Amino acid sequence: MGAETPSYRGFRFPAEIISHCVWLYHRFALSFRDVEEMMLQRGVTVSHETVRQWCRTFGQTYANGLRRRRARPGDKWHLDEVFVKINGKTHYLWRAVDQHGTSWTFWSPPGATPTPRPGSSANCSPT
């Protein structure tokens, strides 16, 4: 999918309503029924299934845009580390927080050397 804007041609609702529903779903991690209820409060009757179809059709474009606008990690970090015992096995856990409040949690399984890799979902997760 490129940087082109999505085509809303052939849809019953105007582009503003479709884009607002998809934006609400992706930006605030709402359920389809929550988006349906919010639109109903604004006087727009749309079913949760329609919101689901819109999110399936246009969602990736919006998600990519939101991801692009996410704040980049800063250059100053504060680090907190701890050893955690889970089921009798010691795990190494640490959290790094930058000056903007972006935080990352790293962990290593028992017996492994803690190696934080910010791109890896196996042992690192943004929080």
Side-chain angles (χ1 to χ4, degrees):
M1 216 168 215
E4 71 273 353
T5 58
S7 171
Y8 298 102
R9 178 176 258 171
F11 287 90
R12 176 178 161 217
F13 287 92
E16 293 81 19
I17 291 178
I18 296 172
S19 63
H20 187 67
C21 288
V22 175
W23 176 77
L24 281 172
Y25 176 77
H26 285 285
R27 174 61 181 88
F28 299 108
L30 300 172
S31 69
F32 298 128
R33 292 181 191 267
D34 288 341
V35 174
E36 173 188 13
E37 187 176 324
M38 290 178 78
M39 296 308 291
L40 188 60
Q41 289 175 350
R42 289 172 171 81
V44 178
T45 306
V46 61
S47 74
H48 67 277
E49 183 61 26
T50 302
V51 174
R52 184 192 70 80
Q53 290 173 356
W54 290 342
C55 289
R56 203 178 103 225
T57 303
F58 305 112
Q60 192 63 49
T61 305
Y62 286 93
N64 291 344
L66 290 171
R67 196 173 299 115
R68 243 182 272 114
R69 285 192 294 267
R70 189 183 325 166
R72 301 284 184 238
D75 55 353
K76 293 183 183 180
W77 290 82
H78 301 281
L79 184 64
D80 185 25
E81 58 188 356
V82 68
F83 287 96
V84 180
K85 202 168 257 198
I86 302 173
N87 292 331
K89 297 180 181 176
T90 303
H91 296 262
Y92 185 73
L93 174 72
W94 57 286
R95 174 172 281 182
V97 181
D98 73 351
Q99 74 261 26
H100 305 299
T102 304
S103 68
W104 287 81
T105 303
F106 302 91
W107 68 274
S108 70
T113 305
T115 53
R117 297 179 309 233
S120 171
S121 61
N123 67 347
C124 171
S125 64
T127 54

